[in-house]
């Protein structure tokens, strides 16, 4: 008699990461003064537009340490902490429903790691560590970024078996292998895990995005989501904030596009049929 394959319980987890460029207005905005006032609301609305709403918001280049709490607190998010980076502040926000389930910030050492991390428990009792980071800029700092990633990975490994790294990593393609193989390897790049679709590859595209007037035109995949752990499986990867405001060519809310990642989290328990 043949046996049916095991079917496991899965919990969907939606993650959003976005460098919001200090909520500054684009050089292409039709009214810069008005955009300066409206930008926080527009950024909030864009972050909350996906359905279902993100469970985790990883923000970089927040204009001040209370930005996340002020903009997203009324919508049901709890900040796990903020950290100053080389530009603005890093924040990590979790939906209240998850934050109430023993969510706990993971302490960062000293001042050298521009990250915020927390361990959260999902409704299926799976524990996951998640982080928001804004790593060292510029091509020549590849080694610094590797050291920052490894330090963060070590901290998160000490808390749970399933870890997710989100943020503006400022990485270049030549750095991919070093990060995927760091701390014993097995780190999955979510964009690659979802199929490496060309249309969602670049989180920076100054050919289309005129955020910086007269800026050098190029494309890059600065923003990343890495995950490791047997319970984590990528089901969807997309960009956010990659459409011009009110359809005006070149006018975007940030110089970066955000990442929208959906995971299926399995706790290893078999569903009885």
């Amino acid at each position: 008699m043949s046996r049916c394959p095991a079917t496991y319980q899965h919990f969907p987890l939606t993650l959003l990461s976005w460098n919001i460029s200090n909520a500054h207005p684009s050089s292409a905005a039709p009214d810069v003064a008005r955009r300066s006032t409206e930008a926080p609301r527009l950024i909030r609305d864009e972050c909350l537009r996906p359905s279902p709403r993100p469970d985790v918001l990883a923000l970089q280049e927040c204009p001040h340490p209370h930005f996340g709490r002020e903009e997203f607190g009324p919508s049901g998010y709890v900040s796990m902490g903020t950290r100053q980076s080389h530009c603005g502040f890093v924040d990590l926000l979790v939906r209240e429903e998850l934050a109430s389930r023993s969510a706990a910030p993971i302490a960062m050492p000293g001042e050298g790691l521009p990250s915020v991390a927390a361990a959260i428990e999902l409704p299926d009792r799976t524990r996951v560590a998640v982080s928001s980071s804004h790593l060292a800029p510029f091509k020549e700092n590849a080694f610094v970024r590797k050291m920052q990633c490894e330090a963060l990975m070590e901290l998160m490994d000490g808390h749970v078996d399933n870890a997710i790294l989100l943020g503006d990593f400022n990485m270049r393609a030549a750095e991919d292998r070093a990060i995927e193989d760091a701390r014993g390897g097995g780190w999955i790049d979510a964009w690659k895990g979802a199929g490496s679709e060309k249309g969602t590859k670049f989180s920076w595209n100054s050919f289309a995005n005129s955020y910086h007037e007269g800026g050098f035109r190029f494309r890059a995949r600065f923003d990343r989501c890495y995950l490791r752990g047997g319970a984590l499986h990528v089901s969807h990867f997309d960009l956010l904030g990659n459409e011009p405001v009110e359809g005006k060519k070149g006018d975007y809310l940030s110089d970066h596009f955000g990442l929208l990642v959906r995971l299926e989290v399995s706790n290893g328990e078999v569903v009885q049929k």
Side-chain angles (χ1 to χ4, degrees):
M1 181 174 67
S2 62
R3 298 180 62 187
C4 295
T7 302
Y8 296 97
Q9 291 183 341
H10 288 84
F11 178 81
L13 186 67
T14 301
L15 314 162
L16 186 152
S17 178
W18 198 6
N19 177 326
I20 60 172
S21 193
N22 286 294
H24 287 163
S26 168
S27 67
D31 185 331
V32 171
R34 179 180 177 185
R35 178 61 55 78
S36 295
T37 301
E38 293 182 342
R41 175 184 60 80
L42 294 172
I43 289 168
R44 182 189 67 234
D45 290 351
E46 180 68 5
C47 287
L48 300 182
R49 179 177 56 82
S51 180
R53 284 184 173 183
D55 298 295
V56 174
L57 298 172
L59 301 179
Q60 305 86 46
E61 290 196 27
C62 294
H64 55 82
H66 308 299
F67 177 88
R69 185 182 66 196
E70 291 175 358
E71 294 299 325
F72 294 95
S75 298
Y77 288 86
V78 177
S79 174
M80 294 289 101
T82 61
R83 187 97 162 174
Q84 191 163 17
S85 72
H86 62 274
C87 184
F89 291 83
V90 175
D91 202 345
L92 179 70
L93 299 115
V94 178
R95 279 197 306 111
E96 285 179 346
E97 298 93 320
L98 293 180
S100 65
R101 298 180 63 86
S102 303
I106 297 173
M108 293 290 119
E111 299 295 328
L113 197 55
S115 305
V116 178
I120 60 176
E121 183 179 270
L122 304 184
D124 65 359
R125 301 189 304 280
T126 304
R127 288 185 60 78
V128 177
V130 61
S131 64
S132 175
S133 300
H134 192 192
L135 302 187
F138 310 127
K139 182 178 180 180
E140 60 267 26
N141 282 326
F143 180 75
V144 176
R145 288 189 285 275
K146 182 174 183 291
M147 294 298 99
Q148 289 174 328
C149 280
E150 289 182 340
L152 180 60
M153 291 170 178
E154 182 177 8
L155 280 172
M156 297 174 78
D157 282 346
H159 287 76
V160 297
D161 295 329
N162 302 288
I164 305 165
L165 279 60
L166 296 157
D168 177 3
F169 280 38
N170 276 305
M171 281 177 55
R172 278 64 174 170
E175 301 171 54
D176 285 13
R177 179 59 64 86
I179 304 305
E180 292 165 11
D181 292 345
R183 296 281 306 168
W187 290 95
I188 297 171
D189 181 329
W191 174 71
K192 295 178 182 179
S196 304
E197 294 291 336
K198 291 182 179 179
T200 59
K201 182 174 184 179
F202 299 114
S203 59
W204 179 288
N205 181 359
S206 50
F207 288 100
N209 188 347
S210 302
Y211 192 86
H212 299 288
E213 186 175 8
F216 179 68
R217 294 189 176 189
F218 68 104
R219 298 181 183 89
R221 199 161 67 91
F222 289 145
D223 302 87
R224 303 295 180 101
C225 172
Y226 288 100
L227 52 126
R228 183 168 74 176
L232 306 176
H233 311 278
V234 183
S235 60
H236 181 76
F237 183 97
D238 208 348
L239 298 177
L240 178 136
N242 60 330
E243 295 292 336
V245 180
E246 297 181 348
K248 185 181 182 299
K249 184 177 180 180
D251 180 15
Y252 293 79
L253 291 174
S254 172
D255 49 2
H256 290 249
F257 302 147
L259 308 183
L260 182 66
V261 182
R262 301 193 195 281
L263 305 179
E264 293 291 335
V265 183
S266 170
N267 66 2
E269 294 185 2
V270 179
V271 177
Q272 299 297 325
K273 290 189 173 181

